[in-house]
Amino acid sequence: MKAWSKFVTIALSLVIIASMFAGCSKENASSDSNEKVTLEYWRIDSSDQLNAIWKKTVEEWNTNHPESQINLTFVPATEYGQKLATAFASEKGPDIFNISPGEFMKYAGTGVIHPVDKWVEKSKDDYYDYALEGNKVNGKVMAFSQGLDLMGLFYNKELFEKNNIQPPTTWQETLDAAKKLATDKRYGISFTTKQGYVQNFELYPLFWMNGSELIKDGKVDVNNDGTRKALQYLRDLMSSGVADKSSEDTSIDDFAAGNTAMMFTGSWQVGILKDKYPNFKYGVIPYPVPAAGMKTSSDAGGWKVVISAKGKNPDRAGDAIDWMMNQNLERNVEMVKAASQFPVKKSVLKAAGNYYDSYPFDVFRDSILPNAHLEPSFSPEVVKAIGDAIQKALFSNTPIDEIVKTLEQECNKAVQAK
Amino acid sequence: MKRLDSKRKEAIAAYLFMAPNLLGLLIFLIGPMLYAFYVSLHHWDIITEMRWAGFENYLNAFQDSAWWNSLLKTLIYTAVFVPSLYILSLSLALLVHGMPKFSGAFRTIFFLPVIISPAISGVIWKYLMEDKVGLLNQILDFFGIAGVPWITDTDWALYSMILVGLWLVMGFYMIIFLAGLQDIPKEYYEAATIDGADFWKSFRHITLPNLRHTSVFVIVMTVIGSFQVFDQIKVMTNGGPVDATKLSVLYIFDTSFTLYNMGYASALSFCLFIIIILFTLLQFKLLRNDET
């Protein structure tokens, strides 16, 4: 027994000591200007073209800057959020990374991101105001951005023409069109039904069009008719049976295959549709309005690039990203085109020439962009609360008033906790 | 003196053989568990520093109605899953045991789902259970039966998850029961037949009693398994619709990786751990007590 208990004591102490070291932080590498440093750059795995342009750009930088080497990694979309969080948890976060507006506040609001004012200062007049505002936290610019993703209503042109239906302009027309076109093998309309910031991103305009900002400048404004109308419309769409009950952003394949007649989705699909389904005829219109005469709206998102304040050398990282994203007009145009996005800088829009004249980009540029509303950067608790409300509206029988009351409570809780 | 020496040597040898495994368990299981307990005593959003919380997270868990809801769903899942799995896998084992000619083929077919990762099976079943074009509803349609909202209806979703769960592991427990069945001497059945017993009498008085140890193993393992069910549900419904399938582990996952509330999630994990231990101890007491 003595040998056994001795063994156990020693082993346990070793384990406990080892676990304590797991929590220790590593010493930061010195920022000696001549020391070679390798910076980790994580990007979300996107379209082949966009990935290829970034690979080329990083190679160019690496060839000309042996002292600041960048290691570019593409991470699948489904794992991105978790991989990023766990990397930071174990102090192995990347030096430079992509971030969605939905997750931006999570990192920007907690001091993990290094401000980028000094690089953006010189070209700040070139940016559209709202684009720069969306990257600011407490007055400091915290992210580099390239382009905007815009939401619209995509519809199957052939189906509409065959059934003699006009593209809808109001919510009622949309519901009617969906009912006419739904069959037992086809849905009338689809949008992301899985809870998360993507679903919120697609559906925010329904709230905005009725004047409900949900949360603005830290103030909760949820208990209003706008919220109720939006939730009721979602419930009408789903309960009528014409909406796909389990659809995701990746269901663009379903849309192109004719399994759904309409889809709320974004400008990034234009490139994907051109690549995968070049012969598929589809149209794009702005989000239909709640009632005739009202103004349409659209969500303007777009992933940003940020510098980690905990990285090996934030200064060099900033230099690199600035060079790659802001100092070559031709390349900037290429990047925005490859992402099917709309540029945030006036010079890039000009340099793109008549690229945005082609259909459906002209619809986005002329009818959707002017009415665009930046994607809000809500905290995860608020994103969840809004998502819960949407889920209940779509899939339960809870009265709308009750849903709105709970939403208000949860938003208040989340805002006060800050 | 000589006997003591050799016994001591044997003991040391035994400990040395166990050491790598034990060390592995300590470093990769006990160590992280201790760390998780440490985290559960803090507030932590992964990105900023940890803040001391004492037992606040555990107190919050008591008052968290969403947590209790997830536990309730887990209990319902377990209450339906465990007996169903028991009956299903035992029936399959009896079937395979009674048909030695085809047993090889059947064993392979029923065991195949076990070797597919639950996540991949989840993706496939998600397509099979799709409302309009899923294969299941198309088959029902062929027989003139209305389609079922397998995973899009708040009432059906949980039971669809149970179905998928059964499909995933019935082969594994069939093998366990088969081993148990093969251990029962044929003479018992022959003697019973001579005495005029039919299938049910033999089953009740010979098969079941001799499967006692196997049954305890199966029940304990499936209860633990259903308390920890996650992969296929995450992939198929992600806890929806409207939290209909938000079982405990899914709730913990959301708390940690959607809301970045690591301290609270760790506390919930420990609560679940204790609940599972209590259930297991209870089962041991109930199922093994009347062993004379």
Side-chain angles (χ1 to χ4, degrees):
Chain A
M1 278 319 271
K2 265 201 178 157
W4 166 247
S5 52
K6 239 198 194 169
F7 174 76
V8 169
T9 317
I10 296 174
L12 264 179
S13 347
L14 281 175
V15 168
I16 292 175
I17 295 171
S19 337
M20 289 198 303
F21 281 121
C24 277
S25 56
K26 294 203 196 86
E27 270 182 60
N28 278 321
S30 63
S31 2
D32 176 15
S33 43
N34 286 323
E35 198 180 286
K36 175 174 173 189
V37 70
T38 305
L39 302 163
E40 297 295 324
Y41 179 12
W42 285 11
R43 285 193 62 85
I44 190 169
D45 195 11
S46 294
S47 67
D48 288 336
Q49 304 142 289
L50 189 61
N51 289 356
I53 291 182
W54 272 105
K55 256 202 225 149
K56 195 172 74 168
T57 310
V58 167
E59 265 165 32
E60 238 183 274
W61 168 270
N62 283 342
T63 322
N64 293 316
H65 296 88
E67 79 291 352
S68 303
Q69 292 290 292
I70 298 197
N71 184 20
L72 178 59
T73 315
F74 294 109
V75 180
T78 43
E79 315 171 3
Y80 195 75
Q82 287 143 35
K83 199 161 176 202
L84 203 58
T86 39
F88 272 101
S90 50
E91 313 257 338
K92 290 201 177 75
D95 301 277
I96 309 168
F97 57 100
N98 237 175
I99 194 77
S100 75
E103 303 239 286
F104 178 55
M105 275 322 281
K106 183 78 232 158
Y107 292 87
T110 50
V112 171
I113 297 186
H114 190 85
V116 300
D117 290 279
K118 81 175 203 195
W119 294 283
V120 170
E121 260 305 299
K122 42 186 155 74
S123 55
K124 71 172 191 281
D125 292 326
D126 192 18
Y127 283 87
Y128 290 110
D129 285 332
Y130 60 77
L132 210 53
E133 281 310 303
N135 291 345
K136 280 194 188 162
V137 179
N138 295 332
K140 293 211 195 104
V141 182
M142 301 299 276
F144 292 99
S145 50
Q146 193 72 268
L148 292 175
D149 295 319
L150 293 170
M151 290 296 298
L153 182 59
F154 285 54
Y155 66 95
N156 188 323
K157 251 201 182 140
E158 262 186 67
L159 277 178
F160 271 72
E161 280 165 12
K162 238 200 294 195
N163 288 278
N164 240 319
I165 307 178
Q166 290 296 328
T169 57
T170 66
W171 284 8
Q172 188 57 49
E173 282 174 22
T174 312
L175 183 56
D176 291 337
K179 282 187 182 158
K180 281 208 202 110
L181 292 169
T183 68
D184 53 353
K185 290 286 183 291
R186 183 170 66 225
Y187 291 105
I189 189 166
S190 44
F191 47 88
T192 299
T193 50
K194 184 171 158 180
Q195 186 165 356
Y197 67 80
V198 176
Q199 177 181 57
N200 288 16
F201 176 71
E202 288 181 10
L203 303 177
Y204 282 136
L206 297 179
F207 295 85
W208 296 333
M209 282 193 267
N210 276 310
S212 175
E213 284 291 319
L214 297 171
I215 300 188
K216 194 165 178 110
D217 300 326
K219 279 235 213 62
V220 175
D221 176 31
V222 148
N223 199 343
N224 53 48
D225 262 353
T227 312
R228 271 183 273 274
K229 285 204 182 116
L231 291 173
Q232 184 60 53
Y233 184 58
L234 286 170
R235 173 165 288 177
D236 292 339
L237 282 176
M238 194 54 77
S239 61
S240 63
V242 302
D244 190 344
K245 290 206 169 121
S246 58
S247 166
E248 297 187 42
D249 173 63
T250 46
S251 304
I252 193 69
D253 301 300
D254 273 336
F255 176 60
N259 291 337
T260 183
M262 295 184 273
M263 187 170 170
F264 282 119
T265 187
S267 50
W268 63 90
Q269 304 281 24
V270 175
I272 296 175
L273 284 168
K274 198 152 66 144
D275 269 348
K276 282 167 97 174
Y277 308 99
N279 297 320
F280 175 59
K281 291 200 188 59
Y282 68 96
V284 178
I285 44 174
Y287 271 42
V289 292
M294 291 176 77
K295 233 172 65 150
T296 184
S297 179
S298 175
D299 212 333
W303 284 55
K304 314 171 197 286
V305 178
V306 295
I307 313 282
S308 166
K310 294 182 167 186
K312 305 182 196 87
N313 198 327
D315 259 347
R316 293 228 208 136
D319 286 338
I321 290 295
D322 183 50
W323 183 89
M324 291 192 278
M325 285 179 75
N326 291 332
Q327 293 184 18
N328 186 324
L329 199 55
E330 217 182 275
R331 185 169 42 233
N332 287 167
V333 174
E334 260 186 81
M335 281 182 179
V336 171
K337 281 189 192 175
S340 281
Q341 285 181 324
F342 292 81
V344 294
K345 289 192 279 194
K346 305 172 193 139
S347 60
V348 178
L349 183 64
K350 211 161 149 222
N354 48 19
Y355 178 72
Y356 292 102
D357 288 346
S358 67
Y359 189 86
F361 281 135
D362 56 346
V363 177
F364 280 108
R365 183 194 57 198
D366 301 330
S367 317
I368 298 181
L369 184 58
N371 295 304
H373 183 303
L374 263 196
E375 178 179 358
S377 295
F378 291 145
S379 69
E381 290 82 9
V382 172
V383 170
K384 178 176 187 296
I386 297 172
D388 284 342
I390 294 175
Q391 290 290 312
K392 280 188 220 154
L394 288 171
F395 298 117
S396 81
N397 293 318
T398 316
I400 299 284
D401 285 329
E402 218 183 288
I403 300 178
V404 173
K405 240 205 305 187
T406 313
L407 176 60
E408 193 184 29
Q409 279 169 2
E410 293 300 310
C411 286
N412 279 326
K413 239 201 289 180
V415 165
Q416 275 154 23
K418 288 298 155 217
Chain B
M1 277 308 269
K2 243 191 163 180
R3 267 182 73 215
L4 264 170
D5 263 332
S6 75
K7 259 208 162 162
R8 199 141 189 266
K9 275 197 187 156
E10 248 189 77
I12 295 177
Y15 290 136
L16 281 177
F17 271 114
M18 286 198 297
N21 207 1
L22 224 55
L23 215 59
L25 271 175
L26 282 170
I27 295 177
F28 292 108
L29 193 67
I30 310 289
M33 281 175 74
L34 291 172
Y35 183 63
F37 184 68
Y38 176 73
V39 171
S40 76
L41 299 175
H42 294 75
H43 291 304
W44 192 34
D45 65 358
I46 288 194
I47 300 165
T48 52
E49 298 297 309
M50 287 196 222
R51 286 181 295 127
W52 177 255
F55 282 98
E56 209 180 296
N57 286 324
Y58 290 93
L59 287 174
N60 286 338
F62 260 109
Q63 300 166 338
D64 188 353
S65 58
W67 168 241
W68 286 109
N69 254 314
S70 75
L71 279 176
L72 179 66
K73 301 220 167 55
T74 312
L75 278 172
I76 298 175
Y77 182 96
T78 309
V80 179
F81 181 82
V82 172
S84 311
L85 190 285
Y86 185 91
I87 296 171
L88 187 60
S89 47
L90 180 54
S91 310
L92 288 177
L94 288 168
L95 183 76
V96 172
H97 187 63
M99 289 205 271
K101 248 202 277 180
F102 305 112
S103 70
F106 276 131
R107 283 210 312 264
T108 315
I109 294 174
F110 292 131
F111 196 76
L112 273 177
V114 179
I115 59 178
I116 308 175
S117 103
I120 295 179
S121 300
V123 174
I124 299 175
W125 274 100
K126 190 169 177 201
Y127 282 111
L128 290 177
M129 286 179 161
E130 210 276 336
D131 280 351
K132 283 205 199 228
V133 295
L135 191 61
L136 287 187
N137 280 348
Q138 291 209 32
I139 294 175
L140 286 176
D141 187 51
F142 181 75
F143 288 106
I145 309 172
V148 170
W150 299 99
I151 53 176
T152 54
D153 182 84
T154 48
D155 294 323
W156 277 94
L158 190 60
Y159 297 100
S160 300
M161 292 302 110
I162 293 175
L163 272 174
V164 177
L166 288 172
W167 181 86
L168 279 172
V169 297
M170 62 187 188
F172 177 76
Y173 290 101
M174 173 196 74
I175 300 284
I176 305 278
F177 274 124
L178 258 180
L181 285 173
Q182 282 161 0
D183 268 350
I184 306 175
K186 283 210 172 78
E187 294 81 48
Y188 291 4
Y189 292 105
E190 287 165 9
T193 324
I194 293 174
D195 284 344
D198 62 358
F199 172 75
W200 286 113
K201 280 230 168 75
S202 313
F203 183 71
R204 268 179 61 209
H205 297 286
I206 302 174
T207 315
L208 277 185
N210 278 289
L211 283 179
R212 158 151 262 126
H213 289 163
T214 314
S215 299
V216 171
F217 175 77
V218 169
I219 294 176
V220 169
M221 292 302 289
T222 48
V223 168
I224 294 177
S226 22
F227 268 97
Q228 298 176 334
V229 71
F230 176 73
D231 298 47
Q232 64 269 27
I233 302 185
K234 176 74 182 155
V235 161
M236 292 180 78
T237 61
N238 197 26
V242 203
D243 291 353
T245 56
K246 199 140 196 200
L247 276 61
S248 305
V249 180
L250 282 123
Y251 186 73
I252 293 173
F253 184 91
D254 258 2
T255 308
S256 48
F257 289 108
T258 308
L259 296 176
Y260 294 112
N261 198 346
M262 284 303 176
Y264 187 49
S266 302
L268 291 177
S269 308
F270 268 92
C271 291
L272 188 62
F273 174 61
I274 293 174
I275 292 172
I276 296 179
I277 288 194
L278 287 175
F279 262 89
T280 310
L281 290 175
L282 183 70
Q283 286 172 85
F284 277 142
K285 196 152 197 280
L286 286 175
L287 297 170
R288 289 176 125 177
N289 219 2
D290 26 316
E291 227 171 72
T292 38

